[in-house]
Amino acid sequence: MHHDQHVQHDRIRLPQLRERITSAAQAATWIKDGMTVGMSGFTRAGDAKAVPLAVADRAREETLKITVITGASLGGDTDRQLTESGALARRMPFQTDPALRAAINKGEVMFIDQHLSETVELLRTGQIAPIDVAVIEAVAITETGGIVPTTSVGNSASFAILADKVIVEINTSMSPALEGLHDIFIPKRRPSREPMPLTSVSDRIGTQAIEIPPEKIVAIVFTDKPDSASTILPPDAETAAIAGHLIDFFAGEIAQGRLTESLMPIQAGIGTIANAVVSGLNEGPFRHLTMYSEVLQDSTFELFDSGKLDFASGSSITVSDAKGREVFGNIERYKDRLVLRPQEVSNHPEVVRRLGIIAINTALEFDIYGNVNSTHVAGTHMMNGIGGSGDFARNAYLSVFATKSVAKGGKISSIVPMASHVDHNEHDVDVVVTEVGLADLRGLAPRERAQRIIDNCVAEPYKAMLREYVEEARRGGGQTPHVLEKAFEWHVRYRETGSMLP
């Protein structure tokens, strides 16, 4: 048997599907102008890599404008190619690509920023346009035509179930040992949906593959392109300080008898700060930790290796190059302590509330009352999207938001009189923390929250400026005092002079 045939037999275990093997260009012809396409991929992991680029190639030659729905951000420069080729009309629910970001902010691509648990709920109930074609990366196709995902589940399962046609990209750079890592659970249709039967982080409640009628698979493309590596930066003095403040806070909670040394299941957002905070848990007096999160980053595997972490549940694994070689080269070592779930399970409000998650997410800015902006620079320009932070923040046992107190070398204060866009209102925020310090806002009225945030989290000279603002605001009275004429003065000054400082 020819080598290629060996690979085909190992990776496609339902013989009749082997005749569907084709090129990316040929597969892309199933995608037509005006269609809605669901693509696998959750924060650079498990994304379709060949067919989307073939779609971009076609869009350069002919009129081809599509709506692309994903789990979260795509890797490589897929979003860039789709944007620059003119293929993208609409995009949801999350992205991180600079070219796409620019097109969104110019109004050229319509971007719908959604809580990551909600997208497939809207699809399932026909509240947004249905998926015509799904493009899903797989490690293998089973004897029954089930699709075994790679390094993420994201929205892939529901995309494949809800789409008319499915294109599968089999990635031979992915270890066959990934099979068995996934737990595919699809809730029933409302209003007769049963509770999600997850009462522990390590519960498995679904199937190991995405079960669909095999005749829906119209094309199978082989690729060997690895996932894009994470771009998070190593911890620095500021992120280490943020982690230190949080660890001290957790130690205080343990001393008060509110937490044990196992804490509660941890969720950490994507990015340098959240990753640094989770890495910092290695330094603390913690044991038998668990994670119930979306993206499992380098820090998750550091905690496994140090023996501090017992189990991690996520929707994707997004790691640096070096950590990726270590983890995927020895996936058997971690497999019985890991599970990847659909994002509507990993982010499900019911489960987050039941398990008592400690949610740690990052803010672009927050205001003196604890309202958090995660998405819009100066209230107008989309950065990446809300992601899953809202799914967790509202329903968490403890909702923590972290950011460095200043940006752009001190020209921007991350703590402002009034947030220029609100993704998480003050009711959903328990703790805010910067490298300066931590403010525990539980049980505080707005006037007390302002005091604590300014005292604990803000660097000079912004601390003095905020004190002055609050003093003037209080003269006007109110439950949540503001000076409306000055609430966005800092943002305006930044726009006009390049600095929030007077």
Side-chain angles (χ1 to χ4, degrees):
M1 198 190 282
H2 184 253
H3 165 72
D4 283 351
Q5 275 183 307
H6 261 306
V7 172
Q8 289 172 13
H9 282 242
D10 290 347
R11 300 281 184 157
I12 306 173
R13 303 202 294 266
L14 181 61
Q16 75 213 51
L17 284 176
R18 291 175 200 146
E19 61 206 34
R20 305 277 157 85
I21 297 169
T22 181
S23 66
Q26 189 57 43
T29 61
W30 288 98
I31 295 168
K32 302 191 176 359
D33 187 42
M35 279 188 169
T36 297
V37 181
M39 292 184 183
S40 69
F42 192 102
T43 315
R44 312 163 76 87
D47 53 322
K49 298 172 177 74
V51 174
L53 297 183
V55 170
D57 287 343
R58 262 184 63 215
R60 290 187 185 97
E61 306 301 319
E62 58 186 274
T63 304
L64 179 62
K65 281 219 172 290
I66 58 172
T67 294
V68 171
I69 312 184
T70 56
S73 55
L74 299 175
D77 53 356
T78 301
D79 268 329
R80 178 177 73 81
Q81 298 262 18
L82 288 169
T83 302
E84 290 177 354
S85 68
L88 277 187
R90 309 176 85 74
R91 180 78 174 79
M92 65 184 92
F94 188 82
Q95 60 77 44
T96 55
D97 183 81
L100 176 51
R101 181 182 302 139
I104 289 166
N105 288 322
K106 283 193 197 113
E108 291 164 3
V109 173
M110 292 296 111
F111 179 60
I112 301 92
D113 189 26
Q114 283 172 331
H115 295 303
L116 293 186
S117 68
E118 286 198 332
T119 309
V120 297
E121 295 283 23
L122 292 166
L123 282 167
R124 196 180 279 127
T125 46
Q127 295 180 80
I128 54 178
I131 295 221
D132 298 296
V133 179
V135 188
I136 309 294
E137 183 176 89
V139 72
I141 296 174
T142 67
E143 294 76 1
T144 58
I147 300 168
V148 181
T150 57
T151 48
S152 70
V153 180
N155 283 327
S156 300
S158 286
F159 288 165
I161 290 164
L162 296 169
D164 293 334
K165 299 179 174 66
V166 179
I167 299 168
V168 178
E169 287 195 9
I170 291 186
N171 191 328
T172 54
S173 77
M174 299 284 181
S175 164
L178 288 172
E179 190 165 344
L181 187 63
H182 313 92
D183 187 53
I184 313 295
F185 176 86
I186 305 294
K188 301 250 185 335
R189 303 240 169 188
R190 298 179 289 206
S192 49
R193 178 179 293 181
E194 75 286 7
M196 206 171 268
L198 243 175
T199 53
S200 156
V201 168
S202 56
D203 284 349
R204 286 178 171 273
I205 58 175
T207 56
Q208 293 188 0
I210 301 164
E211 300 296 344
I212 58 166
E215 55 274 14
K216 284 195 358 179
I217 298 175
V218 293
I220 298 172
V221 176
F222 274 80
T223 80
D224 61 357
K225 233 177 154 171
D227 279 345
S228 302
S230 159
T231 53
I232 52 171
L233 304 163
D236 57 31
E238 277 101 4
T239 59
I242 291 169
H245 298 314
L246 259 176
I247 286 158
D248 291 346
F249 168 75
F250 291 145
E253 291 293 291
I254 293 168
Q256 295 284 322
R258 287 192 283 262
L259 287 174
T260 69
E261 59 189 8
S262 307
L263 303 178
M264 294 290 255
I266 305 279
Q267 174 263 331
I270 187 80
T272 305
I273 292 178
N275 187 63
V277 167
V278 176
S279 289
L281 294 174
N282 259 323
E283 307 305 311
F286 312 114
R287 304 190 329 192
H288 298 302
L289 294 169
T290 56
M291 290 189 78
Y292 191 84
S293 200
E294 305 166 288
V295 183
L296 306 179
Q297 304 179 83
D298 286 22
S299 49
T300 303
F301 297 94
E302 287 165 22
L303 287 174
F304 272 141
D305 293 344
S306 70
K308 295 252 181 187
L309 183 64
D310 286 358
F311 200 94
S313 163
S315 194
S316 83
I317 298 172
T318 304
V319 285
S320 65
D321 258 338
K323 190 57 83 178
R325 282 194 294 278
E326 213 175 290
V327 169
F328 297 120
N330 303 291
I331 195 71
E332 299 289 6
R333 186 173 144 203
Y334 300 102
K335 204 156 133 183
D336 59 346
R337 296 177 287 167
L338 269 183
V339 64
L340 293 182
R341 312 182 188 278
Q343 67 201 66
E344 63 179 314
V345 179
S346 65
N347 292 33
H348 199 292
E350 175 196 7
V351 178
V352 172
R353 180 67 63 98
R354 179 185 303 135
L355 294 178
I357 304 291
I358 295 174
I360 303 166
N361 289 290
T362 47
L364 270 183
E365 68 176 5
F366 58 86
D367 67 24
I368 53 176
Y369 297 114
N371 296 290
V372 171
N373 171 12
S374 301
T375 54
H376 285 73
V377 178
T380 54
H381 281 58
M382 172 56 66
M383 198 57 199
N384 300 330
I386 192 170
S389 53
D391 294 322
F392 290 96
R394 171 149 297 179
N395 304 292
Y397 164 77
L398 263 176
S399 171
V400 178
F401 282 91
T403 182
K404 296 184 181 186
S405 68
V406 293
K408 298 267 190 269
K411 293 194 172 87
I412 295 178
S413 173
S414 304
I415 303 95
V416 293
M418 188 185 265
S420 59
H421 173 94
V422 175
D423 294 287
H424 313 284
N425 62 56
E426 80 264 31
H427 311 294
D428 296 345
V429 180
D430 299 316
V431 172
V432 290
V433 58
T434 68
E435 80 285 358
V436 177
L438 178 144
D440 178 0
L441 307 175
R442 293 174 297 175
L444 301 186
R447 289 166 181 247
E448 298 168 313
R449 292 166 79 103
Q451 191 75 50
R452 186 161 293 180
I453 286 171
I454 296 167
D455 287 350
N456 292 11
C457 299
V458 188
E460 294 291 8
Y462 293 111
K463 192 187 283 251
M465 289 162 65
L466 284 172
R467 285 203 168 119
E468 198 179 305
Y469 176 83
V470 165
E471 205 175 306
E472 185 179 343
R474 284 184 180 171
R475 290 201 286 274
Q479 148 85 350
T480 307
H482 270 299
V483 186
L484 291 181
E485 299 79 1
K486 295 186 177 175
F488 295 124
E489 196 172 53
W490 297 14
H491 297 91
V492 174
R493 192 184 301 137
Y494 175 71
R495 187 185 69 199
E496 285 168 3
T497 71
S499 174
M500 286 186 175
L501 293 167

